[in-house]
Amino acid sequence: MQLELSVDRSSPVPLYFQLSQQLEAAIEHGTLTPGSLLGNEIELAARLGLSRPTVRQAIQSLVDKGLLVRRRGVGTQVVHSQVKRPLELSSLYDDLEAAGQRPATRVLVNKLVPASAEVAAALGVAEDSDVHRVERLRLAHGEPMAYLCNFLPPGLFDLDTDQLETTGLYRLMRAAGITLHSARQSIGARAATTAEADRLAEETGAPLLTMQRVTFDDTGRAVEYGTHTYRPTRYSFEFQLLVRP
Amino acid sequence: MQLELSVDRSSPVPLYFQLSQQLEAAIEHGTLTPGSLLGNEIELAARLGLSRPTVRQAIQSLVDKGLLVRRRGVGTQVVHSQVKRPLELSSLYDDLEAAGQRPATRVLVNKLVPASAEVAAALGVAEDSDVHRVERLRLAHGEPMAYLCNFLPPGLFDLDTDQLETTGLYRLMRAAGITLHSARQSIGARAATTAEADRLAEETGAPLLTMQRVTFDDTGRAVEYGTHTYRPTRYSFEFQLLVRP
DNA sequence: TCAATCTGTATGTCCGGACAATCTGACTAC
DNA sequence: GTAGTCAGATTGTCCGGACATACAGATTGA
């Protein structure tokens, strides 16, 4: 049976993107079964009235996502394994929301403070210069899940406490026109101090999962530095990795 | 000043790859400074005697690596931030070796065992069928750093204890012709049991960093399932993430 | 003075074709 | 029977061109 594919040339959506989305949907939906050959590019292009480079571009984007594997002389196959999504720069808020956990946020602190040496180094600003300090408690089902402490350089965008309570920090940044580009992360663990334990309803000395992150926008500016602690009984980092070819 | 670029058409190395490597080296070396424009593609292609698609392919590969940013109507810029390497599917052995830590491995167990339900589900084999069980202690500077417990389906390759002591598991798999494709990881934390604490020279109840991982090859087979525990005072997961556009 | 418009420039998308490299499977020779 | 060889199939690389689109800065108008 042939897969039903078609493209709309009057649409402003690029042709290769239309095709890659349809293929991805077919894989997701199970119409294209794992291990099945995709059929050769030439014929596929002819069937759709597209050129081979356009078809290749569509296929390539799915190869980059890890959904397809190409083999010279063989063809293009759907990957067997259950690839869900290759690790993205995710926000805890979005993750929880996607998991249907209806996250809540309590803003504990939202003020300007002088940058410590550590924060200044991470954000690339002068020591003791003003930076935003935001402390938040993230809850799911009424239970505390994580304590988030973030520092942001001033003047980036308006840090409204009400907005911080109803959405995630990354979403606010994107809405403010900031193009996130990359982040440097560090995940570790340590025993909870008494203050940390109190905030997260754990006991002193209980194991905590920690994450530090500096996020950069596409101009190379550091736009956020965060120190987060998670309750390991409630949260763990799950992600899919791709081997870079 | 113009960057010195050249391609060797007699080389079997693809032209776009030659170019991307030279550009990457120039960025690494500082010849191309962060924020500098790369010069437009048309002229670059003309200067090198290449076509624009080839130049674009070279540039695109560096954009995918996060080293360059393209802006329509503006040009292609070198990213400011200190991108080191976007998260790879790394092996602890390679990581330690790259950090100059001269890792040592002590193989505690290397035998065939019947697969438990958990292992069978992860590897996609029948329950109670034979699988390899490998337990290793990874040390750096004579200090235990991590306890690694791995399960592998039988018949993949020869699991030699001596080789396991002198190199990493991933390197052995690659050497055996297995093409690693993706992995599903989960990073968490928990308190050490007495047995775990003894192995890692920690105290019972001390926080441990945990990682579970299933690795797949390019045919979709699960080739390895691992449960690792790390001493958080000695090890943390550090990596760079890219925002997928 | 400030805002809207225009224009140049650079990347984004798309085409059609050509040849090379590699894998699979069948055929052939020993 | 086994190993080597060959042919077909399919992706990999590369070319040259065309037009669309978006951004930045200069120009123009109010």
Side-chain angles (χ1 to χ4, degrees):
Chain A
M1 162 252 151
Q2 282 296 41
L3 195 58
E4 286 176 36
L5 295 170
S6 62
V7 292
D8 175 10
R9 301 196 85 99
S10 66
S11 163
V13 178
L15 301 175
Y16 77 90
F17 192 75
Q18 292 183 37
L19 178 54
S20 72
Q21 278 200 319
Q22 289 181 40
L23 290 174
E24 187 169 358
I27 293 169
E28 183 85 15
H29 183 266
T31 314
L32 278 174
T33 56
S36 63
L37 272 312
L38 200 59
N40 77 53
E41 300 168 349
I42 314 272
E43 193 210 334
L44 190 55
R47 211 167 84 218
L48 289 164
L50 298 173
S51 68
R52 181 154 89 113
T54 303
V55 172
R56 276 183 67 79
Q57 194 173 358
I59 291 175
Q60 187 60 47
S61 71
L62 297 181
V63 171
D64 291 340
K65 281 190 184 177
L67 294 173
L68 298 175
V69 176
R70 324 175 85 143
R71 292 167 194 272
R72 200 183 274 196
V74 180
T76 305
Q77 287 181 296
V78 181
V79 164
H80 273 96
S81 62
Q82 61 286 30
V83 177
K84 299 183 82 169
R85 20 163 233 187
L87 183 53
E88 297 169 37
L89 179 54
S90 62
S91 91
L92 176 58
Y93 190 90
D94 292 343
D95 284 352
L96 291 173
E97 198 172 55
Q101 301 244 11
R102 299 206 298 104
T105 307
R106 195 178 305 154
V107 175
L108 307 177
V109 173
N110 181 8
K111 62 179 180 185
L112 279 172
V113 299
S116 69
E118 174 197 356
V119 171
L123 291 180
V125 300
E127 204 171 327
D128 293 326
S129 69
D130 276 352
V131 293
H132 289 283
R133 178 190 181 111
V134 178
E135 290 182 40
R136 292 169 296 164
L137 200 62
R138 183 66 44 87
L139 308 104
H141 301 304
E143 280 274 321
M145 281 201 62
Y147 167 75
L148 317 170
C149 179
N150 290 88
F151 297 90
L152 296 92
L156 265 185
F157 67 102
D158 196 38
L159 271 170
D160 183 65
T161 297
D162 286 342
Q163 287 190 310
L164 283 170
E165 300 232 325
T166 53
T167 187
L169 189 56
Y170 277 12
R171 212 177 282 182
L172 285 177
M173 288 203 272
R174 273 188 261 260
I178 297 170
T179 309
L180 268 27
H181 176 262
S182 62
R184 181 132 194 92
Q185 284 195 187
S186 175
I187 297 177
R190 66 157 188 271
T193 65
T194 303
E196 287 173 332
D198 284 349
R199 283 191 293 250
L200 292 173
E202 289 275 352
E203 304 202 349
T204 303
L208 291 183
L209 194 56
T210 66
M211 196 246 302
Q212 289 191 354
R213 173 154 72 182
V214 189
T215 311
F216 303 92
D217 74 357
D218 59 359
T219 68
R221 280 185 311 186
V223 293
E224 176 249 344
Y225 169 59
T227 307
H228 300 179
T229 55
Y230 303 85
R231 295 176 74 181
T233 52
R234 301 265 162 184
Y235 188 77
S236 61
F237 293 93
E238 313 228 353
F239 46 86
Q240 183 107 15
L241 286 191
L242 295 177
V243 177
R244 72 166 183 186
Chain B
M1 163 252 151
Q2 283 296 43
L3 195 57
E4 285 176 38
L5 295 169
S6 62
V7 292
D8 175 9
R9 299 196 87 97
S10 67
S11 162
V13 178
L15 300 177
Y16 77 90
F17 193 75
Q18 292 184 37
L19 178 53
S20 71
Q21 279 201 319
Q22 288 182 40
L23 290 174
E24 187 170 358
I27 293 169
E28 183 83 19
H29 183 264
T31 314
L32 279 173
T33 55
S36 61
L37 273 311
L38 201 57
N40 78 53
E41 300 168 349
I42 314 270
E43 193 211 334
L44 190 55
R47 211 167 82 217
L48 289 165
L50 298 173
S51 69
R52 182 155 90 112
T54 303
V55 173
R56 275 183 69 79
Q57 194 174 1
I59 292 176
Q60 187 60 45
S61 70
L62 297 181
V63 172
D64 291 339
K65 282 190 185 177
L67 294 173
L68 298 176
V69 175
R70 325 175 83 143
R71 292 167 192 273
R72 201 183 271 195
V74 179
T76 305
Q77 290 181 291
V78 180
V79 163
H80 274 95
S81 61
Q82 62 286 27
V83 177
K84 299 184 84 168
R85 17 164 235 187
L87 182 55
E88 297 170 38
L89 180 54
S90 61
S91 90
L92 176 58
Y93 190 90
D94 291 344
D95 285 350
L96 291 173
E97 198 173 55
Q101 300 244 13
R102 298 207 298 105
T105 307
R106 197 179 304 155
V107 176
L108 307 177
V109 173
N110 181 9
K111 62 179 179 186
L112 280 173
V113 299
S116 69
E118 173 197 355
V119 172
L123 291 180
V125 299
E127 204 171 329
D128 293 327
S129 69
D130 276 353
V131 293
H132 289 282
R133 178 191 180 110
V134 178
E135 290 182 41
R136 293 168 296 164
L137 201 62
R138 183 65 44 87
L139 309 102
H141 301 305
E143 280 274 321
M145 281 202 64
Y147 167 74
L148 318 170
C149 179
N150 290 89
F151 298 89
L152 297 91
L156 265 185
F157 67 103
D158 195 39
L159 271 169
D160 182 67
T161 297
D162 286 342
Q163 286 189 312
L164 282 170
E165 300 231 326
T166 53
T167 186
L169 190 56
Y170 278 11
R171 212 177 283 181
L172 285 177
M173 288 204 271
R174 272 189 260 260
I178 298 171
T179 308
L180 268 27
H181 175 261
S182 64
R184 180 133 193 91
Q185 285 195 189
S186 175
I187 296 177
R190 67 158 186 270
T193 65
T194 303
E196 288 173 331
D198 283 350
R199 283 193 292 251
L200 291 173
E202 290 274 349
E203 304 203 349
T204 304
L208 291 183
L209 194 55
T210 66
M211 197 248 299
Q212 290 191 354
R213 173 156 70 183
V214 189
T215 310
F216 303 92
D217 73 358
D218 58 359
T219 68
R221 280 184 311 186
V223 293
E224 176 249 345
Y225 169 59
T227 307
H228 300 180
T229 55
Y230 303 84
R231 298 176 73 180
T233 52
R234 301 265 161 185
Y235 188 76
S236 60
F237 293 94
E238 313 228 352
F239 46 86
Q240 182 107 15
L241 287 188
L242 295 176
V243 177
R244 73 169 184 187

